[in-house]
Amino acid sequence: MNKIVSVLLASFAVIPAFAQEEKAWSLDDCIAYARENNISVKQAQLSALSSEVDVTQSKAALFPTLSFSTSQQLGFQKVESQDVATNTTGAKNPTYTGSYGINANVTLFNGGANWRTVKSSRLSHEADVLNAEKTANSIEQQIIRAYYQILYAHEAVATNEEIVKVAEKELTRTQELLKVGKGSKVDVAQMESQYQQNQYSLVNARNTEAADILALKQLLQLGTSDDFAIDYATYGTSDVMELIPSVEDAQAQALANLPDVKAAEVNVQVAEMQAKIAAGSYYPTLSLNGSVTTSNGNTYSGDFTQQVKDHLHETIGLSLSVPIWDGYKTKASVSKARYNVANAELNLADTRLQLNNTIADLHLDIQSAQSRYQSAVTSEAAARESFELMEGRFNVGLESIIDLLTEKNKYLQAKQETLQSKYTALLNLRLLDFYTGKQ
């Protein structure tokens, strides 16, 4: 818990450390910043701190209560007058009384509700700590997805820039052929149209990257005026084709690593403890109480100290309360508590099932993306070679512009498939590492 306190204190700085430095943000930078500064994460951590206070309070309830009380009263008492000359039949004299008391009370037995409440509050605090980690993990997953989307968009921009350069070269070549009488205006027009389409695709790719960067910036909850640049990581075939554990091993690692299942298990224990607390109302409550009281006043003889000593009164006693009929309240509370236990057990089973399904889906997606990537790389190489051959034949007038554009579009589609399968595999590999605790 001291770790949570220190994290919160550090995160409440006016200017975050990352914002003070003009640097390119890596994925790890983004994750670290979000874990320290995200509002939802902070709120979850504060909830955990609040539940820690509940633990302290429940422990204190095991000890006796001690209170001091006092009351001061001023009154008037009617007395007969002895002065006949004044013809007064009566007069009122002021009276003053003060009382003082110290009272103590401790519950000796209440069906085990007191110490079970301590256990329940400890478990609830543990669940809140785990929920805070779940919140941070959820933010981390969103950042991972957003970051790899940016990497994909960035490489798509590079691909489109390459295509535009090729289109520009083709357009220039076609215009030159027209000048020497080996081409036609139709060929130039078609090549001009293709060039403009490629330019349009490039603009869209750049806009997509800018939008993805803005989405990540908003996810990090940075200000619109804050400087923000991406540290673009590069990945090769070895990264894409990384070996992965079996589904069963990955599921076992995820179940042991993530706080989701642990939190669900603790919630079952909390529900069971609450059911026992509710059942404690069937038992008698035995309390020990004691008090020391005294008083003083102007109707007593002696000074203040003497009066307090003379009127000192000590008591000690036991109080027993036996439930007989409470209008079905206890039985209803116990029934609801048992339903809550059953519901918590179902939530635990569902959490395990959902986590296992997520791992299975990731595992399948990785294998599929890796297979598609291997095929796409081979297809891209073949498409590039075919396009370059077609381009050479077109330059010497052996192929039409339609055939050239057809091969070019095949090459472009092959590059896009390689790019898509590459980052699908990379994203899911990183997510699998996250679930299994490798990252």
Side-chain angles (χ1 to χ4, degrees):
M1 182 50 56
N2 290 333
K3 180 179 179 182
I4 292 181
V5 174
S6 60
V7 167
L8 282 173
L9 291 176
S11 65
F12 283 131
V14 176
I15 302 177
F18 280 104
Q20 296 179 32
E21 303 177 6
E22 292 185 5
K23 57 172 289 183
W25 291 54
S26 67
L27 175 57
D28 290 338
D29 291 336
C30 293
I31 292 173
Y33 180 86
R35 281 184 168 273
E36 291 186 4
N37 296 277
N38 183 269
I39 294 175
S40 297
V41 174
K42 287 182 180 180
Q43 289 175 330
Q45 291 171 341
L46 287 174
S47 178
L49 290 174
S50 176
S51 65
E52 188 178 27
V53 177
D54 294 335
V55 176
T56 303
Q57 184 179 15
S58 64
K59 289 180 181 178
L62 298 176
F63 297 93
T65 61
L66 184 65
S67 64
F68 170 78
S69 61
T70 181
S71 65
Q72 308 294 320
Q73 297 180 343
L74 180 65
F76 296 90
Q77 181 178 356
K78 186 175 181 180
V79 295
E80 294 295 330
S81 172
Q82 301 300 318
D83 189 355
V84 180
T86 61
N87 296 322
T88 301
T89 59
K92 291 183 179 180
N93 289 342
T95 61
Y96 163 76
T97 303
S99 62
Y100 315 90
I102 297 177
N103 304 285
N105 184 75
V106 62
T107 300
L108 301 178
F109 178 76
N110 62 348
N114 46 8
W115 58 267
R116 282 175 176 149
T117 299
V118 175
K119 288 186 176 181
S120 178
S121 61
R122 284 174 176 168
L123 289 169
S124 296
H125 171 60
E126 183 180 352
D128 284 341
V129 172
L130 291 169
N131 286 331
E133 183 62 22
K134 282 175 57 180
T135 301
N137 284 349
S138 177
I139 298 298
E140 181 172 341
Q141 291 180 63
Q142 295 178 54
I143 290 174
I144 290 173
R145 294 180 186 277
Y147 199 90
Y148 276 94
Q149 184 62 38
I150 292 173
L151 296 182
Y152 170 76
H154 183 69
E155 198 159 334
V157 170
T159 298
N160 280 276
E161 287 175 343
E162 178 188 345
I163 295 299
V164 166
K165 289 179 181 178
V166 172
E168 185 177 11
K169 184 180 68 172
E170 291 170 345
L171 175 58
T172 301
R173 176 61 177 166
T174 306
Q175 291 171 339
E176 290 174 351
L177 289 174
L178 177 61
K179 291 178 181 179
V180 297
K182 292 184 179 181
S184 67
K185 291 184 178 179
V186 174
D187 290 343
V188 174
Q190 288 179 327
M191 197 61 74
E192 177 69 30
S193 175
Q194 181 68 36
Y195 173 72
Q196 294 300 330
Q197 289 178 12
N198 295 148
Q199 283 278 25
Y200 179 77
S201 297
L202 175 58
V203 170
N204 279 342
R206 287 172 174 167
N207 289 339
T208 298
E209 182 184 8
D212 290 339
I213 292 175
L214 178 60
L216 176 59
K217 193 174 180 180
Q218 292 172 341
L219 187 59
L220 292 171
Q221 298 175 342
L222 295 172
T224 56
S225 60
D226 291 335
D227 293 330
F228 186 74
I230 295 294
D231 181 12
Y232 293 100
T234 57
Y235 299 95
T237 299
S238 60
D239 298 307
V240 178
M241 301 306 299
E242 179 183 339
L243 294 177
I244 57 176
S246 66
V247 175
E248 294 75 17
D249 288 343
Q251 288 172 336
Q253 291 170 11
L255 289 172
N257 173 62
L258 291 180
D260 304 58
V261 175
K262 296 176 186 177
E265 290 173 343
V266 172
N267 285 333
V268 171
Q269 297 177 51
V270 171
E272 290 174 341
M273 195 59 61
Q274 289 296 323
K276 292 179 180 179
I277 292 173
S281 297
Y282 284 126
Y283 296 89
T285 299
L286 180 63
S287 301
L288 174 66
N289 54 74
S291 65
V292 177
T293 60
T294 187
S295 62
N296 74 303
N298 63 354
T299 58
Y300 305 127
S301 60
D303 57 14
F304 175 82
T305 303
Q306 187 63 43
Q307 290 182 21
V308 168
K309 289 181 179 180
D310 292 343
H311 300 152
L312 198 63
H313 182 61
E314 301 103 349
T315 63
I316 187 171
L318 291 171
S319 174
L320 179 66
S321 174
V322 180
I324 298 177
W325 170 249
D326 63 354
Y328 191 68
K329 290 181 180 179
T330 298
K331 187 173 182 179
S333 297
V334 171
S335 296
K336 288 183 177 180
R338 288 173 178 169
Y339 293 146
N340 289 337
V341 172
N343 188 55
E345 290 173 343
L346 289 174
N347 286 335
L348 172 58
D350 184 63
T351 300
R352 286 174 173 162
L353 178 62
Q354 293 298 326
L355 184 56
N356 284 332
N357 288 343
T358 298
I359 297 301
D361 290 341
L362 278 175
H363 199 275
L364 181 60
D365 289 342
I366 291 171
Q367 290 182 320
S368 175
Q370 287 178 334
S371 297
R372 287 191 293 111
Y373 175 76
Q374 286 180 311
S375 177
V377 169
T378 303
S379 177
E380 180 187 343
R384 182 181 185 88
E385 183 179 2
S386 178
F387 169 63
E388 289 175 347
L389 290 173
M390 181 62 70
E391 188 177 35
R393 292 173 62 84
F394 170 77
N395 289 337
V396 296
L398 297 178
E399 299 291 348
S400 68
I401 193 170
I402 299 299
D403 294 330
L404 176 64
L405 294 180
T406 299
E407 289 302 317
K408 177 183 174 181
N409 288 333
K410 288 181 181 179
Y411 172 53
L412 178 57
Q413 290 173 1
K415 284 185 68 69
Q416 290 175 336
E417 174 58 28
T418 301
L419 186 60
Q420 186 176 33
S421 59
K422 173 183 178 179
Y423 280 99
T424 298
L426 289 171
L427 169 61
N428 289 324
L429 281 168
R430 179 61 187 251
L431 288 175
L432 184 63
D433 288 344
F434 165 80
Y435 278 108
T436 57
K438 187 175 179 180
Q439 288 290 343

